[in-house]
Amino acid sequence: MDIRKISIGADYKSGAMHYIVGQDVLGGSHQIHLIQHQDDAYKIWIIKNDEVVLWKEFKSTMPISLEYNINF
């Protein structure tokens, strides 16, 4: 399943960081391209001008909440 959104932090409503595929980041210069679980970590990949780079990585030991794409 594709991950659509990841929230990092114990307090979901007021203290967590939220990242959504398609979201503009870095002052609007890049977009979140992919969120994936790999090697016991969650990785956030960003894209600019067809170049995809790893932007952030969070270890699975952190409080994490996921939302998945649901296609009916």
Side-chain angles (χ1 to χ4, degrees):
M1 269 191 171
D2 293 336
I3 299 173
R4 184 186 83 79
K5 177 181 177 182
I6 187 168
S7 301
I8 313 294
D11 187 355
Y12 182 85
K13 285 190 173 184
S14 63
M17 299 174 292
H18 306 279
Y19 301 100
I20 302 168
V21 172
Q23 175 183 349
D24 288 336
V25 294
L26 300 175
S29 64
H30 293 73
Q31 260 190 349
I32 296 178
H33 176 70
L34 176 68
I35 302 169
Q36 70 179 169
H37 184 245
Q38 180 183 37
D39 301 328
D40 200 35
Y42 290 92
K43 298 181 179 187
I44 299 176
W45 299 83
I46 58 175
I47 188 169
K48 178 182 179 180
N49 299 330
D50 295 326
E51 181 182 1
V52 178
V53 294
L54 179 61
W55 180 45
K56 293 185 180 266
E57 181 175 326
F58 300 96
K59 298 295 179 189
S60 296
T61 56
M62 296 184 71
I64 292 175
S65 177
L66 300 173
E67 288 184 19
Y68 295 94
N69 281 332
I70 298 180
N71 301 315
F72 294 101

